[in-house]
Amino acid sequence: MKKILLSGILGGIVAFIWSAIAHMNPVTGPLGLSMMNEKEDAVLAALKANLQQPGLYFFPGCEMTGRTKEQEAAWTAKCKAGPVGLLLYDPNGREPMEPKQLVIELLATVLCGLIAASILSATVGSLRCRATMVAMMGLFTWLALSISQWNWYAFPFSFIALDAIDQVIGWLLAGFLMAKMIKPAQPQPMANP
């Protein structure tokens, strides 16, 4: 049990470090992020004057239930005319990267490592096979979450590709470490009926 805990914690730390490398280096870090540049001050002033509550805003907005056919048609026309988007907004501002955010990310990634380690402890197979299985957990996560964000909310695919680099490679690296530390389970003989 101690080896599972230790390997899960270390695997989570490896995945966390890889994520920092993927998101903070100048090649992959800015993937999918666009800057407003010279228009930023005007856009920020308009937002500050018109939105006082933090939230995730979908626009053009509409009531999700109880719409009449006319309201639905008007909203569809607005969507087709554009602009459309999703705005994550905080009018109060904050530090660009607070220590609390890093701690939460590290804890979440270590918890993922502990889950992966517990699954690995019950599996058979070679080191490479079991490390690949952990990478597949990262791929599963990417497909389940990031592809939906690209599909439904039009996140830029390059931003979604960065998530794939982060999740799949990070968990492959963590998987090799964990699979090396945790011995494969022994296959159980089939019981005769």
Side-chain angles (χ1 to χ4, degrees):
M1 184 61 153
K2 286 181 184 177
K3 264 202 170 162
I4 295 168
L5 286 173
L6 181 60
S7 69
I9 291 167
L10 293 176
I13 291 170
V14 165
F16 176 80
I17 291 169
W18 172 256
S19 184
I21 291 168
H23 285 278
M24 297 176 83
N25 78 72
V27 176
T28 56
L31 285 176
L33 297 176
S34 301
M35 302 299 152
M36 291 182 235
N37 297 329
E38 67 277 350
K39 302 289 185 193
E40 183 174 290
D41 290 340
V43 172
L44 294 180
L47 286 170
K48 209 164 205 143
N50 293 288
L51 283 179
Q52 282 71 46
Q53 296 299 318
L56 182 62
Y57 292 88
F58 179 75
F59 60 93
C62 70
E63 290 299 323
M64 299 307 265
T65 58
R67 289 185 287 213
T68 66
K69 287 183 181 182
E70 294 78 21
Q71 289 170 325
E72 179 76 28
W75 177 71
T76 300
K78 276 179 146 180
C79 286
K80 287 180 178 179
V84 297
L86 197 61
L87 173 66
L88 182 59
Y89 180 72
D90 185 349
N92 305 314
R94 65 178 187 188
E95 290 293 323
M97 191 176 304
E98 296 179 40
K100 176 180 142 185
Q101 291 173 292
L102 292 172
V103 169
I104 290 170
E105 187 69 21
L106 175 62
L107 290 175
T109 309
V110 166
L111 286 173
C112 290
L114 291 169
I115 292 168
S118 68
I119 291 170
L120 272 184
S121 71
T123 61
V124 298
S126 67
L127 175 83
R128 184 174 47 171
C129 174
R130 294 178 328 118
T132 301
M133 184 172 42
V134 177
M136 290 296 184
M137 292 178 209
L139 179 63
F140 177 90
T141 302
W142 179 74
L143 289 169
L145 299 174
S146 298
I147 292 297
S148 292
Q149 292 170 338
W150 166 74
N151 180 48
W152 293 110
Y153 303 113
F155 276 46
F157 193 77
S158 54
F159 184 82
I160 299 306
L162 175 58
D163 276 350
I165 291 166
D166 179 5
Q167 295 300 315
V168 178
I169 296 174
W171 286 110
L172 178 64
L173 296 171
F176 272 112
L177 173 72
M178 290 186 289
K180 184 86 171 153
M181 292 179 72
I182 300 170
K183 291 189 186 319
Q186 296 302 311
Q188 300 297 316
M190 296 287 284
N192 289 331

